[in-house]
Every structure is written in structure tokens, then in C-alpha cells.
């Protein structure tokens, strides 16, 4: 393994922000894994750190295939991690909405451009991503429907679900979209949390990436076969909205099997403790996303269900 | 008449409501103008403009012959907190249009805003700059709608019309969504974030009354309006910092500069040295000037509309 600087950003008041890459093997640019692009993506950073640790051991044991190389970038946005901000700098810019970037524009555009220039040549790209809604997801692999997406390959992670999202205009500035545009086969990997570490799903995330790299012939690693992923389109998920605002008392978790009419959550009046609303399942299915914050606003997404699917 | 166009219950003892003031003549009307502002909570120039438009109409309501809808705050919690985005979720409301009736809170909010504007004969979306740069009053147009919008834009009394400038006029913004629906929508940008420049505000208010007069919404006297410079991206010189440091402007915003004039300096406060002196490569109107001193490499320092 060797460590290289991918790019750096100068500040008058802080040490330079250096984006560091951990390189394994020599040869074709086979796979690149990117971690925390936002300052609260602690789980994503942790998964990458554990991946670096695992790949170091595998490389020392001669388990990185000849002619293949893997690059891991655990943290892109260290400045924001250290200040506790999700987005970058005083302008509060989302780096993951700044691609492809350019080398003559704003600081974040330059950063995005420098990053994509370095990682755009890899055959496979895996981003440890997070969603703007606070809550728990079932671990899954997600890809944009760009015409280049390959759901068969998404299956090789062995996670329970592979989700295809039709991109909105706002998605076209993400790394995943632009990676695919650069002809990298790109995946976003979601575990169940963002700003805290969940050891179980972090291990699941590391195992899924190692499984994928093994199945693509990039490393040799004996692992459990995982799941045969269920492929679904994001538009097919059933959203269950909160009908009232108040204190959210969730009763089911991501991954649970629910039945039509089953009580999923209660919304409690924050002043007198009465139940304002009982949220019930509009369909049989599996909970794909669950709101986990203590408070909820009217019309917030409380749950997303995989319609008529059972454990 | 104050009306709520959207309301939703927040978690604790409050509703998020988007309100508009509808001003109508007594005898009915045929044409309708919509003024919206505060989609970005840190842009406050539109607050003065909304106030002044409503004030002038109320003071001379006999001249009103059409309907005027004024929405000072599309992102009311953002304005309250001086946040550009929607507080808590951190999403830019002006990247969420046109929304959908059955969706998340922001989907429903943006859909309700669009639904309430449908039927207007023209919409003007009032923005300020951010806190980082100061701007002269300007209309920003996406090139695809320029032919239809230019006649309206010329009445607005701005100093400049800039075609295909920034994301402000791009896809999933309110302006783009409304223009796609056939409602001519202009984006006016001026001043600086978290500030009100009353002089710029009065200039734009005069322009809004000219638009209203031309469209048969206002029969009263209006001030003379200026002919704006019309520019495409090629005529604008962007000056960015190639070093980090503290920017000290030397040139005056909203003034003409000559090629070779000193725009400002980027200095190092630790070493007491000038890291860069920034000169104009082309002469013209200095229509953008950095206001926030701390810069990274790549930050915008100035824009010049070349003569």
C-alpha cells in the first residue's frame, strides 16, 4: 500500500486540507472507493478506514490480483468533519452537488474537478453515501438510471437490495452521476446511519465491498456469499407520510416486515402527550426507510415501504 | 388581502405558512402580476421591494387596474434564521421546483407555490446576491427563454440583463419551472446578502411599476426607466483569486474601470505581505465586487461587463 495526495486546498487560517488516497496493488485502475464527502458522514469514513485496514492485510498476504489496483479515499471533506458541518466552508456548499466541477471556478468546483480527474479512470466506483433525510435505511446499493447503470453488477455486492433511481436535475451534479458519465460503473452504498458509527452495518458494508472486489477478480478473499439482491426502482417504493407534526414514536425499524393496517408509529402532541395520529401501513411490505428523529413535521416521510414484499 | 397559499404543521406549536398579499382594484381586473422573494433566507433585498410596492399601491390605490400578488417570504423559516436553505433539512428550495402535490413537505410546499402563481401574466422573482459579493441590479435570463422575456426585462429599470448567467435561472428553479409552464418569469438580482440597499430597491420598484403600467395593471405615473445593457456570458470577465488570503478591494463597485486598473489586493495577515495585486484585464463596468474578505483559491473577486 502506498499513500498519495489526490488534491489539496489551501487556507490562510488552517492547515491545508489534503485529500489522501490509499492505493493497493499495481496495474489497471480497477476500483475506487470514496468515503466522507460531507462533514457528518462519520459512518462512511469509518467503513473506508476499515476497508483500508482489510486491504492492507490482504495485500500483505498477496491477495490483490496481479495487474489490478484499488484506490480508497476515506475522507474528501476533512475541514467540515472537523468543524461539525455537513457542507463545505463558509458558503456551505455540498461537494456532492458540485460535480463535474472545473479547474477555473469556485474552490469546491476545483476540488470536484481535481477529484474526478483522478478517479474518473477507474472501472468501478463505489461511493459511501448518505441521504438528506435523517433516518435508518436497509443497507443497499443504489445507482442512477443514466443508461450506463448495471443492476447485474450491483447484485455482486450481496446486499439485500439494489435500488435504481431516476435522476432529478439536482442529482446530475452528484459524484455517482458524473462517475457514470465518465464511463465508470458507479455505485452508491448506503448503510443504516450517517453521523454515528454502527459496527454491525459498517462490517456489512466492508464485507459487501470486499465481496464485490473478489467477484470482479480484483482481490482474493473468502467471504460469505451474501444475498441475491432484490432489484427495485425507487419510484416503486411506497412513501408513508406523517399526517401531523409532533413527537415521533416509531414502532418498526428498517428491514421489518409489516402488514396492511399495522400501526407503524404514533405522533404525540408535544404539549399534552395525547396521540395526535397513529400512522398505519398502507400496504404489506418491508420497511426500506424509517424516520428515526424524535420530532416530525406534517408531510415528512415517516417510512418508505417495499410494496408487497415479504421476508 | 393576506392569504395563506400553503400551511403545514411543524413539530412543536407552530405552522410553516407561505403567505401572499393580494392587492386588487374594486371593479375587477384582467391582468395579474406576481412578485416573489425570500426563496433564499439570507437574501433580504426583496423585503424592501415588497414593502415599497405594497406601500405605493395602498397610497394610490385608485391607479390600480390589475391584480398584484406579493409573496415576501417563500422560505419564511430561512429568512427568520438568515439561512439560504430550508432550515433543518439544508436543501435549497430553489432546486426543488415544481414539486408535487403528494410528496414530502418541500415537494408540497413548492407545488403549492407554483399552483398559486398559475394564472399570472408575469412573475418577478426577487433575489439578492449572497453575503460574499455585491451586485448591481440585474435581470438574469436563461437563453432558452430570452426572446420572450427580453421585452419585459427591459422595462424593469435594472442596469444590466445577463443571459444564461448562473444556476439561479436553471432547471428545477421556480423561474425555470414557471417559464416552462408559459408564465413569463424574470429573476432580478441585486445588492448583497443579509443587507438592504434602499437605492437599488427604489430603482427596481420603479421598474416594477413600469412593468405594471405596460401590462395595464397600473394607470398612475411612473418614473423614467433606464435602458439596461444586454450581455451574454462572453462579454463578462470573471476575476477569481488564485491564492488564499484576505481580499482588500481598491476599486469602487458599480463604477467603470479601465484595463490595467487595480481592483484590489489579496494580503497575508500573518506575514504582512501582499500576495497578489488584482488588475482588470478589460475595461468596463465593475458590476460584481467581493464583499466578504476571506478567500480561497478560486473565489470570485469581481466581474466586469466589458465595454
Amino acid at each position: 500500500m502506498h499513500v498519495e495526495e489526490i488534491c489539496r486546498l489551501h487556507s490562510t487560517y488552517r492547515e491545508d486540507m489534503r485529500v489522501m488516497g490509499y492505493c493497493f496493488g499495481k496495474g489497471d485502475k480497477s476500483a475506487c472507493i470514496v468515503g466522507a464527502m460531507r462533514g457528518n458522514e462519520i459512518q462512511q469514513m469509518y467503513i473506508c478506514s476499515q476497508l483500508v485496514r482489510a486491504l492492507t492485510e490482504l495485500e500483505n498476504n498477496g491477495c490483490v490480483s496481479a495487474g489490478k489496483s484499488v484506490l480508497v479515499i476515506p475522507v474528501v471533506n476533512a475541514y467540515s468533519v472537523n468543524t461539525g458541518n455537513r457542507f463545505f466552508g463558509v458558503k456551505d456548499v455540498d461537494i456532492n452537488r458540485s460535480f463535474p466541477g472545473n479547474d477555473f471556478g469556485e474552490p469546491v468546483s476545483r476540488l470536484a474537478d481535481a477529484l474526478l480527474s483522478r478517479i474518473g479512470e477507474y472501472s468501478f466506483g463505489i461511493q459511501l453515501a448518505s441521504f438528506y433525510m435523517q433516518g435508518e435505511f436497509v443497507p443497499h446499493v443504489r445507482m442512477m438510471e443514466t443508461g450506463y447503470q448495471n443492476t447485474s453488477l450491483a447484485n455482486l455486492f450481496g446486499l439485500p437490495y439494489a435500488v435504481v433511481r431516476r435522476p432529478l436535475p439536482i442529482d446530475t451534479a452528484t459524484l455517482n452521476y458524473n462517475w457514470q458519465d465518465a464511463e465508470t460503473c458507479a455505485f452508491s452504498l448506503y448503510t443504516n446511519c450517517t453521523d454515528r458509527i454502527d459496527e454491525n452495518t459498517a462490517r456489512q458494508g466492508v464485507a459487501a465491498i470486499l465481496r464485490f472486489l473478489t467477484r470482479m477478480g480484483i482481490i482474493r478473499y473468502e467471504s460469505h456469499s451474501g444475498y441475491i439482491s432484490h432489484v427495485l426502482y425507487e419510484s416503486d417504493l411506497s412513501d408513508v407520510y406523517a399526517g401531523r407534526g409532533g413527537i415521533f414514536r416509531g414502532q418498526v425499524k428498517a428491514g421489518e416486515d409489516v402488514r396492511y393496517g399495522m400501526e407503524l408509529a404514533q405522533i404525540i402532541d408535544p404539549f399534552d402527550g395525547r396521540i395526535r395520529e397513529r400512522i398505519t401501513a398502507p400496504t404489506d411490505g418491508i420497511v426500506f426507510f424509517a424516520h428515526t428523529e424524535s420530532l416530525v413535521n406534517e408531510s415528512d416521510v415517516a417510512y418508505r415501504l417495499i410494496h408487497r414484499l415479504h421476508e | 388581502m393576506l392569504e395563506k397559499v400553503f400551511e403545514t404543521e411543524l413539530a412543536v406549536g407552530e405552522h410553516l405558512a407561505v403567505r401572499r398579499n393580494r392587492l386588487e382594484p374594486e371593479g375587477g381586473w384582467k391582468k395579474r402580476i406576481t412578485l416573489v422573494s425570500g426563496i433564499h433566507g439570507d437574501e433580504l433585498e426583496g423585503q424592501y421591494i415588497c414593502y415599497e410596492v405594497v406601500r405605493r399601491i395602498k397610497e394610490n390605490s385608485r391607479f390600480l387596474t390589475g391584480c398584484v400578488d406579493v409573496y415576501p417570504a417563500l422560505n419564511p423559516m430561512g429568512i427568520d434564521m438568515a439561512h439560504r436553505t430550508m432550515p433543518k433539512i439544508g436543501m435549497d428550495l430553489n432546486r426543488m421546483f415544481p414539486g408535487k402535490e403528494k410528496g414530502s413537505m418541500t415537494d408540497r410546499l413548492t407545488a403549492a407555490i407554483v399552483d398559486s402563481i398559475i394564472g399570472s401574466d408575469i412573475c418577478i422573482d426577487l433575489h439578492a446576491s449572497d453575503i460574499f459579493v455585491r451586485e448591481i441590479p440585474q435581470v438574469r435570463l436563461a437563453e432558452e427563454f430570452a426572446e420572450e422575456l427580453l421585452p419585459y426585462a427591459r422595462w424593469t429599470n435594472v442596469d444590466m440583463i445577463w443571459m444564461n448567467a448562473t444556476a439561479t435561472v436553471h432547471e428545477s428553479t421556480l423561474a425555470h419551472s414557471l417559464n416552462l409552464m408559459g408564465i413569463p418569469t424574470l429573476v432580478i438580482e441585486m445588492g448583497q446578502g443579509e443587507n438592504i440597499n434602499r437605492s437599488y430597491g427604489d430603482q427596481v420598484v420603479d421598474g416594477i411599476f413600469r412593468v405594471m403600467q405596460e401590462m395595464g395593471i397600473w394607470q398612475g405615473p411612473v418614473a423614467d426607466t433606464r435602458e439596461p445593457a444586454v450581455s451574454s456570458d462572453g462579454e463578462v470577465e470573471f476575476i477569481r483569486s488564485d491564492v488564499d488570503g484576505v481580499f482588500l478591494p481598491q476599486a469602487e463597485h458599480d463604477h467603470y474601470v479601465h484595463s490595467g486598473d487595480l481592483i484590489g489586493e489579496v494580503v497575508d495577515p500573518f506575514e504582512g505581505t501582499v500576495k497578489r495585486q488584482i488588475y482588470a484585464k478589460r475595461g468596463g463596468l465593475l458590476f460584481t465586487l467581493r464583499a466578504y474578505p476571506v478567500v480561497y483559491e478560486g473565489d470570485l473577486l469581481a466581474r466586469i461587463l466589458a465595454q
Side-chain angles (χ1 to χ4, degrees):
Chain A
M1 186 261 288
H2 70 275
V3 184
E4 71 173 73
E5 182 179 302
I6 305 296
C7 53
R8 80 162 62 197
L9 191 138
H10 305 288
S11 162
T12 304
Y13 300 97
R14 302 173 68 170
E15 288 181 19
D16 288 354
M17 186 174 90
R18 301 171 70 204
V19 179
M20 306 305 292
Y22 293 76
C23 313
F24 302 90
K26 286 177 185 167
D28 294 346
K29 292 180 174 176
S30 305
C32 174
I33 299 100
V34 175
M37 207 172 291
R38 291 155 174 159
N40 66 334
E41 292 180 341
I42 309 303
Q43 167 90 337
Q44 290 70 14
M45 178 175 66
Y46 179 68
I47 291 172
C48 278
S49 73
Q50 295 308 298
L51 194 61
V52 169
R53 189 176 156 185
L55 286 169
T56 304
E57 196 176 318
L58 287 167
E59 189 179 46
N60 289 342
N61 293 332
C63 295
V64 175
S65 303
K68 307 280 184 188
S69 74
V70 178
L71 174 67
V72 183
I73 302 173
V75 188
V76 173
N77 186 3
Y79 271 6
S80 299
V81 176
N82 289 328
T83 56
N85 297 93
R86 181 164 164 80
F87 299 139
F88 181 84
V90 67
K91 272 195 168 177
D92 212 21
V93 182
D94 186 354
I95 297 176
N96 201 33
R97 293 277 186 275
S98 303
F99 287 92
N102 57 62
D103 62 359
F104 53 83
E106 292 285 312
V108 168
S109 293
R110 295 178 187 215
L111 183 69
D113 173 67
L115 184 64
L116 192 59
S117 304
R118 176 66 180 82
I119 68 179
E121 293 172 358
Y122 282 81
S123 302
F124 301 104
I126 303 165
Q127 183 186 3
L128 281 301
S130 70
F131 204 57
Y132 77 93
M133 289 195 300
Q134 289 288 315
E136 264 185 11
F137 279 100
V138 175
H140 66 279
V141 176
R142 185 179 290 228
M143 50 206 327
M144 297 277 185
E145 190 178 19
T146 56
Y148 301 119
Q149 82 279 2
N150 189 331
T151 50
S152 306
L153 290 179
N155 225 320
L156 302 182
F157 285 88
L159 287 172
Y161 302 100
V163 179
V164 182
R165 174 179 169 85
R166 180 161 295 169
L168 299 172
I170 198 168
D171 295 317
T172 58
T174 61
L175 172 60
N176 186 305
Y177 187 93
N178 285 280
W179 233 346
Q180 289 198 47
D181 219 33
E183 298 185 1
T184 293
C185 189
F187 308 94
S188 297
L189 197 147
Y190 288 76
T191 61
N192 69 337
C193 59
T194 301
D195 46 14
R196 64 183 172 83
I197 292 169
D198 181 298
E199 288 282 1
N200 284 335
T201 56
R203 271 200 298 275
Q204 198 178 354
V206 172
I209 294 169
L210 294 176
R211 190 181 294 124
F212 178 82
L213 297 179
T214 300
R215 287 172 174 176
M216 296 314 301
I218 298 166
I219 60 170
R220 291 185 299 280
Y221 176 66
E222 291 296 324
S223 69
H224 183 273
S225 302
Y227 294 86
I228 298 170
S229 302
H230 186 87
V231 178
L232 50 106
Y233 282 78
E234 195 178 39
S235 54
D236 294 337
L237 295 170
S238 297
D239 287 340
V240 184
Y241 298 100
R244 297 290 309 270
I247 293 170
F248 186 79
R249 186 187 282 161
Q251 294 175 359
V252 293
K253 291 185 173 176
E256 285 189 36
D257 191 339
V258 300
R259 299 291 161 144
Y260 169 78
M262 180 177 157
E263 187 169 296
L264 303 179
Q266 296 174 346
I267 296 176
I268 310 293
D269 186 306
F271 297 102
D272 63 20
R274 282 183 304 110
I275 295 173
R276 280 181 168 171
E277 188 196 11
R278 295 176 192 275
I279 298 177
T280 57
T283 176
D284 292 358
I286 289 181
V287 178
F288 182 78
F289 167 81
H291 179 95
T292 51
E293 282 191 277
S294 302
L295 299 177
V296 71
N297 296 321
E298 179 187 344
S299 305
D300 279 349
V301 177
Y303 295 98
R304 308 189 90 178
L305 305 180
I306 307 168
H307 187 50
R308 288 187 185 161
L309 190 74
H310 301 296
E311 282 179 324
Chain B
M1 180 178 60
L2 282 176
E3 304 167 321
K4 286 179 187 167
V5 302
F6 177 78
E7 184 174 33
T8 194
E9 186 178 43
L10 299 177
V12 183
E14 185 188 358
H15 288 82
L16 167 63
V18 174
R19 294 178 297 160
R20 74 176 173 197
N21 192 355
R22 170 161 285 193
L23 303 147
E24 301 170 283
E26 284 180 2
W29 48 267
K30 288 183 180 163
K31 295 282 186 181
R32 175 178 156 203
I33 184 171
T34 294
L35 307 177
V36 299
S37 186
I39 202 164
H40 293 138
D42 59 347
E43 299 179 6
L44 303 177
E45 301 280 3
Q47 300 309 301
Y48 173 70
I49 292 171
C50 290
Y51 154 77
E52 183 62 9
V53 166
V54 174
R55 188 193 69 76
R56 288 190 197 181
I57 290 173
K58 283 185 170 173
E59 198 171 272
N60 292 288
S61 58
R62 65 188 184 283
F63 295 132
L64 187 66
T65 49
C67 176
V68 182
D69 284 334
V70 181
Y71 300 63
L74 296 187
N75 177 9
M77 292 201 298
I79 293 184
D80 195 54
M81 297 300 296
H83 283 183
R84 179 178 176 81
T85 56
M86 293 279 287
K88 211 169 176 194
I89 60 171
M91 297 292 283
D92 185 342
L93 191 61
N94 208 24
R95 299 290 179 274
M96 310 288 279
F97 285 94
K100 51 187 179 187
E101 199 182 333
K102 290 183 179 169
S104 66
M105 187 173 85
T106 43
D107 285 331
R108 293 176 200 220
L109 168 65
T110 48
I113 290 168
V114 169
D115 189 51
S116 72
I117 295 172
I118 288 173
S120 295
D121 295 286
I122 186 167
C123 177
I124 299 179
D125 182 8
L126 300 161
H127 287 253
S129 178
D130 53 28
I131 63 167
F132 302 96
V133 294
R134 200 172 290 134
E135 300 277 6
I136 62 172
Q138 57 200 267
V139 170
R140 293 186 177 178
L141 301 179
E143 227 157 39
E144 60 185 299
F145 304 117
E147 191 180 336
E148 192 191 351
L149 296 179
L150 262 175
Y152 299 105
R154 288 183 188 278
W155 294 331
T156 55
N157 203 30
V158 294
D159 296 306
M160 173 182 164
I161 297 169
W162 187 1
M163 288 190 284
N164 198 23
T166 70
T168 316
V169 292
H170 290 168
E171 258 185 292
S172 56
T173 62
L174 173 63
H176 192 271
S177 301
L178 292 175
N179 278 314
L180 276 182
M181 290 174 185
I183 301 167
T185 300
L186 303 173
V187 175
I188 298 184
E189 179 134 349
M190 82 214 81
Q192 189 184 339
E194 298 184 6
N195 268 285
I196 288 176
N197 181 319
R198 203 160 168 170
S199 166
Y200 286 162
D202 285 329
Q203 179 183 335
V204 171
V205 170
D206 287 343
I208 289 170
F209 275 86
R210 168 86 194 276
V211 172
M212 287 162 56
Q213 185 192 54
E214 294 285 348
M215 297 187 71
I217 295 169
W218 182 253
Q219 299 298 318
V222 297
D224 289 339
T225 52
R226 65 194 74 190
E227 182 64 28
V230 180
S231 159
S232 60
D233 286 344
E235 290 149 333
V236 174
E237 183 191 350
F238 284 69
I239 301 176
R240 295 186 180 278
S241 183
D242 65 350
V243 288
D244 57 285
V246 174
F247 177 67
L248 304 174
Q250 299 286 330
E252 286 278 322
H253 178 233
D254 200 3
H255 280 63
Y256 282 85
V257 293
H258 297 100
S259 173
D261 281 357
L262 182 65
I263 303 294
E265 294 172 330
V266 179
V267 302
D268 184 328
F270 292 93
E271 300 283 354
T273 54
V274 175
K275 295 177 89 170
R276 286 288 186 281
Q277 289 191 305
I278 313 295
Y279 294 99
K281 286 184 185 152
R282 290 199 279 180
L285 177 63
L286 186 65
F287 72 93
T288 305
L289 185 63
R290 188 162 188 91
Y292 189 82
V294 178
V295 294
Y296 286 111
E297 180 187 338
D299 271 328
L300 183 65
L301 302 179
R303 280 188 285 231
I304 295 171
L305 176 60
Q307 277 175 318

